[in-house]
Amino acid sequence: MASSSLIYETGAWKDLKAHVEDIEKIHLRDLMSDTVRCKSMIIDFDGVLLDYSRQRANFDTLNKLHNLAKAAHLKEKINGMFNGERINSTENRSVLHIALRAPRDSVINSDGKNVVPDVWQVLDKIRDFSERVRSGAWVGATGKVLKDVIAIGIGGSFLGPLFVHTALQKDPEAIEFARGRQLRFLANVDPIDVARNIAGLNPETTLVVVVSKTFTTAETMLNARTLREWISAALGPQAVAKHMVAVSTNLTLVEKFLKGASSIDQHFYSAPFEKNLPVLLGLLSIWNVSFLGYPARAILPYSQALEKFAPHIQQVSMESNGKGVSIDGVPLPYETGEIDFGEPGTNGQHSFYQLIHQGRVIPCDFIGVVKSQQPVYLKGEMVSNHDELMSNFFAQPDALAYGKVGIFYVELPSPFSGLYLSLFSKPDRTELEKPGTGSVMT
């Protein structure tokens, strides 16, 4: 059923469409020469610094984007989510991921009930079970300690946990807690993935965690049955209860067979849109995709620990926003969503950066960290390994933003002292070519 007010029919949308022609006449190099503009496009919140000055946008663009947010009733929708209203009209349910990371004393109501205590009850159970496994109180069927874990899941049940695991894998504290243990992820239904995951593992010391919201995902269920058979064949059917556990909301089918995030949640809820990191990034995304016509976004973390960030964002963004219709099912006459891809740091520079520099305009999110989890300082080297990495992080966004019109250099801060996140688009190749677009986040 058609909505009485589609966003592209509003004056704010039409105003932005007309504004595109004005922006296309301005070179990004000229935008970057405006010191007041650039300083106003740097926002710092809770250790994260966002610099979006290399986006093809000026003060007028941002005002028009904020008008679009008002026309879309964005603030009302944010309030509705935090108030537990059923903003998920497809499933007629509240959107309560914010409750999963809310402090224990928070109040988030859904259908008149505070759901936070229920969340913490489950979190306490997870912590209790995890501690029992780590301490050896929960052992396998033969009495041996469970030191190897295979997590079965796909989509969000796989990519999110894999991203977090990879990000923390070389953190010194995490290394100490994980000593003597290993975690593997089984997602693909291809039996090769099964073979790789169980290779070298002993069923006696292996715990299988099956993660599925509904416990009906075909690939996950087949992989779960396959590992159940692997355990049963080695230890007997009675061993399954000691070696397999499930994470799900479908308790019936289960019986038959997570401070930082909360901080950004509150920032998203309470910060004015002019200083709201998630809102600004969302509006700039709409500007790039639906108005400037850039369909893709490169996610470029200059940290190997974030190597699984791009696949995680692919699932979060492209699955959730992978729609070509309005919330009421009306086909939209413009492009929606981004094609997300990416690769860590200098790896990408020797892979697809050539196309970004000289082929196509592709907005890029550059993500850097101030302090390495594993710093290396070699005798005789002018800079540390991490500083070498970060010199690339600082240089690439400017190369994309300014293009090559002569010899230039980038002066880098030393020592590096912050978390850098850059959001950029493609550079200009010559002064005669069309302006480039980009943004950087740190």
Side-chain angles (χ1 to χ4, degrees):
M1 187 174 183
S3 170
S4 58
S5 179
L6 294 169
I7 190 64
Y8 65 86
E9 295 175 340
T10 63
W13 184 277
K14 296 174 182 178
D15 200 17
L16 274 165
K17 291 291 287 186
H19 179 61
V20 171
E21 184 177 352
D22 298 331
I23 285 295
E24 288 182 338
K25 297 175 182 177
I26 308 174
H27 198 288
L28 183 54
R29 193 181 301 114
D30 297 324
L31 290 174
M32 291 297 295
S33 68
D34 186 339
T35 305
V36 175
R37 169 192 171 275
C38 291
K39 287 183 178 179
S40 72
M41 293 183 175
I42 298 176
I43 300 174
D44 188 2
F45 172 74
D46 201 17
V48 176
L49 185 147
L50 168 64
D51 177 358
Y52 62 98
S53 62
R54 294 165 184 82
Q55 289 283 336
R56 292 187 66 185
N58 56 22
F59 291 121
D60 198 20
T61 311
L62 293 173
N63 287 333
K64 295 178 187 300
L65 285 171
H66 291 309
N67 289 336
L68 184 68
K70 292 177 182 177
H73 306 290
L74 179 58
K75 183 57 181 175
E76 291 84 349
K77 292 175 180 177
I78 293 173
N79 291 339
M81 182 176 74
F82 277 81
N83 291 332
E85 296 176 13
R86 300 189 179 191
I87 64 172
N88 181 346
S89 58
T90 305
E91 299 176 313
N92 191 30
R93 59 191 296 178
S94 303
V95 177
L96 296 172
H97 57 275
I98 54 173
L100 300 181
R101 50 223 190 192
R104 194 182 290 268
D105 58 353
S106 297
V107 176
I108 300 177
N109 290 313
S110 178
D111 295 331
K113 178 184 178 182
N114 182 14
V115 300
V116 175
D118 293 340
V119 169
W120 275 94
Q121 184 179 20
V122 174
L123 292 176
D124 289 338
K125 289 181 179 178
I126 292 173
R127 181 177 60 183
D128 177 66
F129 177 76
S130 300
E131 289 298 331
R132 291 168 65 192
V133 173
R134 292 192 187 102
S135 67
W138 180 293
V139 295
T142 62
K144 291 186 177 181
V145 173
L146 300 173
K147 62 182 184 66
D148 306 310
V149 177
I150 299 178
I152 301 178
I154 201 167
S157 299
F158 158 62
L159 292 167
L162 176 64
F163 160 61
V164 173
H165 171 67
T166 306
L168 297 177
Q169 202 165 25
K170 291 304 177 183
D171 176 81
E173 186 177 4
I175 290 175
E176 189 59 36
F177 277 107
R179 194 174 302 281
R181 304 179 183 276
Q182 60 177 313
L183 172 60
R184 301 182 181 183
F185 292 88
L186 173 57
N188 201 326
V189 75
D190 189 330
I192 292 176
D193 202 13
V194 174
R196 286 176 176 173
N197 270 275
I198 65 176
L201 295 187
N202 182 352
E204 291 183 276
T205 60
T206 300
L207 176 68
V208 177
V209 181
V210 184
V211 185
S212 176
K213 182 174 69 174
T214 62
F215 239 61
T216 58
T217 307
E219 298 92 336
T220 298
M221 292 301 96
L222 179 55
N223 281 334
R225 293 192 297 269
T226 302
L227 288 200
R228 183 180 63 187
E229 179 59 29
W230 176 65
I231 292 170
S232 297
L235 307 175
Q238 75 285 348
V240 171
K242 282 288 188 178
H243 291 265
M244 294 190 75
V245 296
V247 179
S248 177
T249 59
N250 193 329
L251 298 181
T252 302
L253 288 180
V254 169
E255 290 171 356
K256 291 180 179 179
F257 181 97
L258 174 297
K259 189 172 178 178
S262 178
S263 175
I264 201 68
D265 283 342
Q266 290 305 312
H267 171 76
F268 175 56
Y269 176 64
S270 61
F273 286 175
E274 295 79 8
K275 300 292 183 181
N276 194 309
L277 270 66
V279 170
L280 284 169
L281 293 176
L283 291 174
L284 290 169
S285 172
I286 293 172
W287 173 240
N288 284 329
V289 175
S290 300
F291 293 95
L292 295 181
Y294 304 145
R297 173 179 60 173
I299 300 171
L300 311 172
Y302 278 66
S303 170
Q304 194 64 29
L306 301 180
E307 64 174 309
K308 297 300 181 181
F309 187 56
H312 172 52
I313 294 301
Q314 284 177 336
Q315 189 275 327
V316 170
S317 177
M318 296 177 70
E319 183 178 63
S320 298
N321 292 331
K323 314 291 188 295
V325 299
S326 73
I327 197 170
D328 300 304
V330 178
L332 300 173
Y334 57 88
E335 297 297 331
T336 63
E338 293 169 316
I339 303 168
D340 290 315
F341 71 98
E343 185 72 19
T346 53
N347 293 4
Q349 292 177 196
H350 293 269
S351 176
F352 50 80
Y353 274 40
Q354 184 70 25
L355 179 67
I356 301 176
H357 277 287
Q358 298 190 29
R360 302 188 62 170
V361 177
I362 300 177
C364 305
D365 288 5
F366 285 77
I367 304 169
V369 297
V370 175
K371 184 178 180 180
S372 174
Q373 293 175 337
Q374 296 290 327
V376 175
Y377 301 88
L378 297 179
K379 185 178 180 180
E381 295 290 338
M382 294 182 63
V383 297
S384 70
N385 292 33
H386 184 65
D387 286 357
E388 175 71 18
L389 173 69
M390 291 304 291
S391 69
N392 285 271
F393 167 81
F394 285 108
Q396 287 292 328
D398 278 347
L400 287 169
Y402 291 96
K404 186 177 181 180
V405 296
I407 299 174
F408 72 100
Y409 74 98
V410 177
E411 183 176 349
L412 300 176
S414 181
F416 300 119
S417 59
L419 169 66
Y420 303 93
L421 173 58
S422 303
L423 308 176
F424 287 85
S425 295
K426 161 185 174 185
D428 294 306
R429 296 179 291 281
T430 72
E431 288 194 81
L432 298 178
E433 293 182 79
K434 66 181 181 179
T437 297
S439 61
V440 175
M441 195 161 29
T442 65

